[in-house]
């Protein structure tokens, strides 16, 4: 009895280790064992509690199948009765090449020192379609979860797929704005969805990823995604070919409502042991630090930049609080975000900037910057460390001449010194000089004002002249006529001189608003000109001068009257 | 007659030149030679003497240099800032200010700004105020010519010129408007906001205009502050980068604006 009691812990330990060992296994399964040659089948390898399983498997089934997709991998982690179980699945989509019974062989995996063997089984491929045509809808929806279980705080994305054999022209649905147990990071209805072809029941469907929903779990438990209705517009050809029903024979657009099925997801609480530097970060991250300057004066600020780069729930946590020396005044860090939401979760960089101001001189050492996150890949907490350089704080002018930590711009300025004196004065002004009250600067405005006045006067003048054109011409008639006659010279041919004299007289009469018929002298002169026009070559210069003088004397006579 | 007119113009001008330039120049050169002989106190004295008759950006600049070499950074920055008010685009002034600012104890990291806003503030700081006024004056001349030409053409020929004239007028008017807005904004800012430089090695900024008031924060020589209010020619309410406000004895400040 005493021996039994003594060996009890040993036996329990052996049993526990046996149960632990027995949990490690690799299995192979198919989603169906009977199907037609036009259908695809999914083979899944499940690695339970095995670290670092292979990322892909050489199936060696080329003789019987074509690989249409894969390897797809998914992982899950559960914590039941203080015992954790991790499961990693690798699956392949296969399309059969032959009909009949196909044996799937057993596969052997050597991981570490252990060897794991899967069981073989038989798949039956029939030559005819198993599912009758009438059971297949023209369009249907599918909800795809990246994995069956997630952790509380984890960000993940679910996708809605539309399978259709019709011509879809549009689709809509109500956006998801809230969901119990989750933060809705984004709901997006894809305008240009990713599409591919899928064979189902011997029919070829077009599969389109039309909507995605990114969520972050806030509570643990089982959560149900309810079915979601999508309104799909499809173009269908009309049955009747009546010109009245469908004048262009192009068919019409029909709206149909299709329900995407619901699904369930398990949200596990994070395992204990996150430590003081865990603030809820889940994903895969790396840590970087940079200090502006490590040699500074008292009361001079230096900036410490701490950057996290990676992917996961970047938006949903803060950086753990860090402790610095009491001699430093530390302000609330300024956060710079440079990340975006990709097809699964957040990816990018977050930087926290701490401004540190030392109050006393000395050499200061700091604790390492620490950050803990939960690694989805390794399913455990990881703590990142980054050591900081010592900061040398100098008193007063002690730093003068020490430029080792200055920026290139600062060094450039220091090395060039201030510039030399100005040798001459350009313009001397009153100490209270204001450029806007200096009239010289407004010179352009004065010119513009003068120009405006000139244009206004010209405008008024032209307007007045246009309005009183007859009066002006009446007044200026003599002046115009005299100027006209002065322009007549002997250089011109006689016929031109005759025309000019005639024009001069007629213009004068027009200006004076008179008629030649009312003035006998003018009438005679015009007759003489007409006579001369028959033989202009016979006219002497003297005759032409006499004619011009006569015309002028007649005009002066009229003016005198 | 023509000779008399020329004489009437030339004589007052030459008298003006003699008043402003000829008397100052030897003294200005004397200040420079004192500086060259490293007698910075004498150089300061001569330049200050010149300051009473009138100022120029070169005079303020040289005064700033003399103070800088004398180890008085606060005064140096004050006079360079004064020089910058008269000639904001001068590169020598900006360079010397940058050199001095590297040596300041008080440094503030300003938050990032929208690039266009940052560009506008930077442009405002370095903009000589007479420049937009002169440019808009020239543009106004062109606008007057364009509109006048169109109007006269309409009077003479009865038709307005083609669309080109309207487009040019609209562009010129818009440019003039923008330049006026910039001038107005910059002018008001420079007129309204009074700045000063801390002249003492370190100054306690107090919570009230009394010597017994509690110390809010400490500023050091060369820091630029904005004067919000002055009381009894003894105390000034100042703000340092807008968020830190307190009271300082006026003796510790060197005003930039007259």
């Amino acid at each position: 009895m005493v021996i039994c009691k003594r060996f009890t812990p040993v036996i329990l330990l052996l049993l526990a280790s046996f149960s632990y060992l027995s949990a490690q296994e690799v299995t192979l399964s198919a989603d169906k064992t009977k199907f037609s040659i036009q259908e695809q089948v999914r083979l899944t390898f499940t690695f339970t509690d095995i670290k670092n399983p292979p990322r892909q498997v050489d199936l060696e089934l080329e003789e019987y199948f074509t690989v249409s997709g894969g390897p797809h991998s998914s992982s899950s982690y559960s914590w039941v009765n203080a015992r954790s179980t991790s499961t990693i699945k690798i699956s392949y989509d296969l399309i059969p090449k032959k009909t009949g019974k196909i044996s799937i062989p057993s596969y052997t995996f050597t991981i570490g020192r252990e060897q794991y063997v899967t069981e073989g089984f038989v798949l039956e491929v029939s030559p005819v379609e198993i599912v009758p045509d009438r059971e297949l809808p023209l369009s249907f929806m599918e909800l795809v979860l990246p994995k069956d279980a997630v952790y509380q705080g984890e960000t993940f994305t679910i996708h809605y797929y539309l399978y259709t054999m019709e011509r879809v022209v549009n689709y809509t649905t109500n956006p998801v704005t809230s969901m119990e147990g989750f933060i809705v990071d984004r709901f997006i209805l894809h305008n240009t969805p990713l599409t591919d072809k899928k064979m189902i029941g011997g029919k070829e469907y077009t599969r389109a990823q039309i909507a995605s929903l990114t969520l972050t779990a806030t509570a643990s438990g089982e959560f149900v995604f309810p079915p979601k209705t999508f309104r799909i517009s499809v173009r269908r050809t009309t049955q009747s070919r009546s010109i009245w029903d469908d004048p262009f024979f192009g068919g019409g657009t029909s709206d149909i409502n299709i329900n995407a099925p619901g699904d369930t997801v398990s949200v596990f609480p994070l395992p204990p042991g996150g430590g003081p530097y865990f603030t809820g970060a889940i994903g895969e991250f790396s840590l970087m630090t940079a200090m502006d300057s490590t040699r500074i004066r008292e009361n001079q600020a230096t900036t410490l930049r701490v950057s996290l780069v990676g992917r996961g729930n970047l938006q949903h946590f803060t950086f753990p609080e860090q402790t610095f020396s009491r001699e430093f005044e530390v302000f609330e860090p300024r956060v710079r975000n440079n990340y975006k939401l990709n097809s699964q979760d957040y990816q990018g960089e977050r930087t926290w900037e701490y401004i540190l101001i030392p109050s006393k001189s000395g050499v200061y050492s700091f604790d390492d910057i620490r950050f803990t996150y939960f690694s989805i890949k390794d399913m455990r907490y990881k703590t990142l460390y980054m050591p900081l350089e010592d900061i040398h704080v100098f008193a007063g002018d002690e730093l003068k001449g020490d430029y080792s930590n200055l920026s290139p711009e600062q060094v450039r300025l220091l090395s060039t010194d201030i510039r030399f004196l100005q040798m001459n004065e350009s313009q001397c002004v009153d100490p209270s000089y204001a450029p806007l009250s200096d009239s010289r600067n407004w010179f352009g405005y004065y010119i513009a004002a003068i120009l405006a006045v000139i244009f206004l006067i010209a405008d008024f003048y032209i307007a007045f002249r246009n309005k009183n054109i007859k009066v002006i011409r009446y007044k200026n008639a003599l002046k115009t006529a005299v100027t006209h006659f002065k322009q007549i010279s002997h250089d011109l041919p006689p016929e031109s001189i005759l025309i000019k004299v005639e024009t001069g007289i007629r213009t004068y009469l027009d200006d004076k608003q008179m008629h030649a018929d009312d003035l006998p002298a003018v009438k005679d002169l015009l007759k003489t000109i007409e006579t001369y026009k028959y033989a202009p070559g016979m006219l002497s210069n003297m005759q032409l001068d006499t004619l011009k003088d006569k015309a002028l004397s007649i005009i002066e006579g009229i003016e005198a009257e | 007659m023509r000779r008399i007119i020329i004489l009437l113009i030339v004589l007052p001008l030459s008298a003006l030149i003699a008043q402003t330039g000829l008397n100052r120049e030897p003294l200005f050169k004397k200040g420079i030679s004192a500086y060259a002989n490293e007698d910075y106190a004498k150089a300061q004295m001569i330049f200050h003497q010149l300051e009473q008759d009138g100022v120029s950006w070169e005079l303020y600049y040289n005064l700033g240099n003399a103070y800088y070499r004398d180890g008085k950074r606060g005064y140096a920055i004050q006079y360079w800032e004064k020089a910058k008010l008269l000639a904001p685009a001068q590169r020598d002034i900006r360079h010397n200010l940058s050199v001095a600012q590297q040596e300041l104890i008080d440094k503030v990291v300003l938050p990032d700004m929208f690039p266009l806003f940052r560009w506008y503030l930077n442009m405002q700081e370095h903009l000589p105020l007479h420049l937009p006024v002169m440019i808009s004056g020239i543009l106004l001349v062109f606008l007057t010519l364009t509109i006048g030409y169109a109007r006269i053409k309409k009077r003479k020929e009865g038709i307005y010129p083609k669309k080109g004239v309207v487009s040019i007028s609209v562009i010129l008017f818009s440019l003039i408007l923008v330049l006026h807005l910039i001038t107005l904004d910059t002018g008001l800012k420079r007129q309204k906001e009074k700045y000063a430089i801390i002249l003492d090695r370190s100054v306690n900024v107090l919570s009230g205009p009394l010597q017994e008031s509690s110390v809010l924060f400490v500023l050091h020589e060369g820091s630029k502050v904005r004067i919000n209010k002055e009381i009894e020619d003894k105390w000034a309410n100042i703000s340092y980068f807008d968020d830190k406000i307190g009271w300082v004895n006026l003796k510790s400040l060197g005003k930039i604006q007259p």
Side-chain angles (χ1 to χ4, degrees), chain B residues 33-249:
Chain B
S33 62
Y35 179 93
N37 294 327
E38 297 185 5
D39 191 351
Y40 302 120
K42 191 180 174 186
Q44 287 161 28
M45 194 191 74
I46 293 168
F47 290 137
H48 274 304
Q49 202 178 329
L50 279 168
E51 196 187 353
Q52 288 165 6
D53 287 342
V55 295
S56 62
W57 75 264
E58 292 93 345
L59 180 72
Y60 281 147
Y61 174 89
N62 288 358
L63 251 173
N65 277 26
Y67 275 117
Y68 182 81
R69 290 284 180 239
D70 211 10
K72 295 172 181 170
R73 280 187 212 127
Y75 284 99
I77 293 174
Q78 183 197 359
Y79 279 98
W80 284 331
E81 288 281 358
K82 276 173 176 276
K84 203 172 96 173
L85 268 187
L86 292 176
Q90 269 300 325
R91 288 185 176 184
D92 286 351
I93 304 170
R94 278 152 66 183
H95 171 87
N96 285 6
L97 276 170
S98 308
V99 172
Q101 266 148 18
Q102 295 304 318
E103 297 167 12
L104 294 186
I105 294 172
D106 306 320
K107 281 179 183 167
V108 170
V109 181
L110 291 173
D112 278 348
M113 252 183 242
F114 181 60
L116 192 70
F117 192 55
R118 191 175 53 210
W119 173 84
Y120 180 71
L121 287 182
N122 199 32
M123 185 269 296
Q124 257 193 338
E125 199 185 333
H126 300 127
L127 179 74
L129 209 52
H130 67 275
L131 195 68
V133 177
M134 288 178 89
I135 293 171
S136 58
I138 292 165
L139 294 178
L140 197 64
V141 169
F142 282 112
L143 181 68
T144 315
L145 284 171
T146 312
I147 294 171
Y149 161 75
R151 185 74 196 159
I152 298 292
K153 203 168 167 73
K154 162 79 172 127
R155 281 278 185 227
K156 278 189 167 174
E157 296 170 15
I159 45 153
Y160 272 114
K162 286 181 183 172
K163 282 179 184 173
V165 172
V166 179
S167 311
I168 290 168
S169 303
V170 170
I171 292 166
L172 286 172
F173 183 77
S174 309
L175 284 172
I176 290 167
L177 192 71
V178 169
L179 285 168
H180 274 94
L181 288 174
I182 292 170
T183 311
L184 192 72
D185 187 33
T186 313
L188 281 176
K189 200 175 164 188
R190 285 186 192 168
Q191 200 183 3
K192 232 169 101 179
E193 296 180 358
K194 303 280 180 195
Y195 287 92
I197 304 294
I198 302 284
L199 300 176
D200 295 346
R201 292 287 285 175
S202 75
V203 170
N204 290 335
V205 183
L206 307 173
S207 60
L210 289 168
Q211 206 62 52
E212 300 79 34
S213 305
S214 58
V215 178
L216 293 174
F217 56 98
V218 178
L219 285 176
H220 297 88
E221 188 184 16
S223 293
K224 191 177 175 181
V225 295
R226 195 169 76 191
I227 300 175
N228 305 320
K229 203 193 290 177
E230 285 180 43
I231 291 182
E232 298 165 357
D233 291 337
K234 194 182 175 189
W235 292 96
N237 181 271
I238 57 124
S239 51
Y240 183 62
F241 284 99
D242 290 337
D243 58 342
K244 284 180 179 277
I245 296 173
W247 293 86
V248 171
N249 196 315

Side-chain angles (χ1 to χ4, degrees), chain A residues 11 30 41 94 135 154 205 211 364 380 483 518 524:
Chain A
I11 291 162
V41 63
L94 307 173
E135 288 182 16
E154 190 179 340
Y205 281 87
Y364 294 92
R380 65 181 176 86
T483 313
D518 302 335
D524 289 346

